[in-house]
């Protein structure tokens, strides 16, 4: 949810400072998420049923609704096992709490329901697994805080916790805005959800190929994007499995937190509105 906050002096935090002060804690946060890195085995390549590769199988929900010139944006997670009746209750409570026009109730409820329906359409389907990790990228602005970062995530660690990772991330980088952590967690879950959907397509392609059909005609190469973007564990870490990055990789995995002034926020929002108007 986007709300106004008091302006703060601008500062930028980069990896050189973090490396000196608390690099060990940041390394711990990443490796806590990746602590169950998979050991290559034939069984790990067998399909599993669709789910986001995290401890809690939550649906990332993103809302961007505009009615009569008034815009509402929010991002959060939803338990797909909750009854659908909770969607309308949530929409009504949100409209009441934020004093939005009543017309937003229907639009909020419909948007949430459509995203839940899409998620549930994948449930029960096979998805491929393997000894892979993928890069997760953050490039988001929450109120006056701009965040850019990149790190690695183990797709076979179904005990990973994006919310815990986000809390440690914000603590290590000195982020005070309480809305940043949830936004980071949702951004991670959105990317993992996209990868899980691609894994379902990849599993379908594999089944067709095993039947001797021309799977490539039914599923384009982009359906196997997860396989192309994933990084092989042995190539990445070698035999030492070291958490220490090579110096040439420091800039690639450099977290940046930028606190924007009111003028900078206004300029960014103006550019966003121009892009939306042209879209």
């Amino acid at each position: 949810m986007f709300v106004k906050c008091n302006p703060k002096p601008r500062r930028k935090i980069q990896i050189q400072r973090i490396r000196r002060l608390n690099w060990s804690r940041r390394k711990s946060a990443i490796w806590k998420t990746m602590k169950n890195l998979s050991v290559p085995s034939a069984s790990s390549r067998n399909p599993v049923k669709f789910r986001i590769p995290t401890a809690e199988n939550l649906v990332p929900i993103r809302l961007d609704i505009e009615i009569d010139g008034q815009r509402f944006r929010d991002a959060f997670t939803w338990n797909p096992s909750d009854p659908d009746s909770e969607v309308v209750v949530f929409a009504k409570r949100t409209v009441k709490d934020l004093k939005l026009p009543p017309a937003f109730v229907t639009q909020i409820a419909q948007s949430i329901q459509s995203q839940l329906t899409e998620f549930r359409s994948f449930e029960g389907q096979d998805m491929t697994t393997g000894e892979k990790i993928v890069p997760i990228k953050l490039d988001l602005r929450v109120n006056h805080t701009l965040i850019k970062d990149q790190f690695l995530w183990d797709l076979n660690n179904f005990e990973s916790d994006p919310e815990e990772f986000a809390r440690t991330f914000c603590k290590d980088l000195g982020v005070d805005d309480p809305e940043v952590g949830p936004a980071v967690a949702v951004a991670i879950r959105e990317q993992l959800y996209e990868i899980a959907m691609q894994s379902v397509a990849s599993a379908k392609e594999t089944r067709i190929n095993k039947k001797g059909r021309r799977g490539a005609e039914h599923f384009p190469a982009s359906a196997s994007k997860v396989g192309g973007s994933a990084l092989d564990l042995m190539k990445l870490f070698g035999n030492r499995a070291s958490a220490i990055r090579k110096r040439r990789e420091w800039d690639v995995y450099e977290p940046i937190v930028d606190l924007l002034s009111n003028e900078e926020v206004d300029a960014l929002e103006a550019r966003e509105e121009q892009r939306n108007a042209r879209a």
Side-chain angles (χ1 to χ4, degrees):
M1 191 179 303
F2 294 83
V3 297
K4 295 293 183 180
C5 65
N6 294 329
K8 300 178 181 179
R10 184 180 181 185
R11 74 179 190 273
K12 183 174 289 187
I13 307 174
Q14 296 189 350
I15 193 65
Q16 279 70 24
R17 178 186 175 197
I18 299 169
R19 190 180 298 114
R20 291 195 302 269
L21 297 180
N22 54 15
W23 169 247
S24 61
R25 281 196 297 152
R26 174 168 168 76
K27 181 176 67 177
S28 173
I30 294 176
W31 282 89
K32 185 181 296 183
T33 299
M34 298 171 58
K35 61 184 177 182
N36 294 324
L37 287 175
S38 307
V39 176
S41 65
S43 61
S44 66
R45 297 185 182 277
N46 294 332
V48 299
K49 296 304 180 182
F50 170 82
R51 61 162 295 154
I52 297 179
T54 55
E56 292 187 278
N57 192 37
L58 303 178
V59 186
I61 301 292
R62 187 169 292 275
L63 303 177
D64 190 347
I65 302 170
E66 184 172 357
I67 299 177
D68 296 332
Q70 191 165 356
R71 190 176 185 183
F72 170 67
R73 292 185 292 178
D74 200 3
F76 47 89
T77 57
W78 195 278
N79 189 335
S81 300
D82 287 347
D84 289 347
S85 58
E86 292 294 323
V87 173
V88 176
V89 174
F90 173 84
K92 290 180 178 179
R93 185 170 63 246
T94 300
V95 169
K96 180 180 178 180
D97 291 345
L98 299 180
K99 297 181 173 56
L100 296 171
F104 274 90
V105 173
T106 301
Q107 294 298 319
I108 291 174
Q110 288 180 348
S111 181
I112 295 174
Q113 193 63 63
S114 66
Q115 293 176 67
L116 289 175
T117 299
E118 180 186 36
F119 181 90
R120 289 165 178 163
S121 69
F122 291 98
E123 291 181 331
Q125 299 191 48
D126 289 338
M127 56 184 283
T128 57
T129 60
E131 298 77 32
K132 302 290 185 179
I133 58 177
V134 295
I136 298 294
K137 296 183 179 181
L138 299 178
D139 188 355
L140 67 158
R141 178 180 65 85
V142 182
N143 301 323
H144 284 61
T145 304
L146 184 68
I147 291 181
K148 294 185 179 182
D149 196 10
Q150 176 174 286
F151 44 86
L152 303 174
W153 201 276
D154 180 14
L155 294 181
N156 284 338
N157 182 6
F158 286 84
E159 297 302 319
S160 63
D161 188 340
E163 284 72 26
E164 180 185 1
F165 179 91
R167 286 191 293 269
T168 304
F169 178 91
C170 291
K171 181 179 180 181
D172 284 352
L173 295 180
V175 177
D176 298 325
D177 189 337
E179 295 186 32
V180 173
V184 169
V186 169
I188 293 172
R189 285 188 177 276
E190 285 178 325
Q191 294 176 65
L192 295 178
Y193 179 25
E194 179 67 24
I195 291 170
M197 290 190 293
Q198 292 163 359
S199 296
V200 170
S202 179
K204 290 180 179 178
E205 181 180 0
T206 299
R207 288 198 304 271
I208 289 179
N209 288 337
K210 285 183 177 180
K211 293 179 180 179
R213 298 179 182 177
R214 299 177 62 186
E217 294 181 359
H218 299 275
F219 298 93
S222 59
S224 299
K225 180 179 176 183
V226 62
S229 63
L231 303 177
D232 185 271
L233 287 177
M234 297 305 293
K235 290 181 181 179
L236 181 66
F237 297 107
N239 295 327
R240 296 179 302 170
S242 173
I244 306 301
R245 299 196 188 283
K246 298 178 181 179
R247 183 176 293 273
R248 65 174 178 269
E249 297 178 332
W250 286 0
D251 290 339
V252 177
Y253 292 91
E254 174 185 12
I256 296 177
V257 175
D258 202 359
L259 297 184
L260 306 178
S261 65
N262 288 335
E263 292 75 15
E264 290 171 318
V265 171
D266 292 340
L268 284 174
E269 290 180 346
R271 285 199 292 270
E272 289 176 2
E273 290 178 359
Q274 291 176 357
R275 285 196 298 268
N276 291 334
R278 290 195 297 266

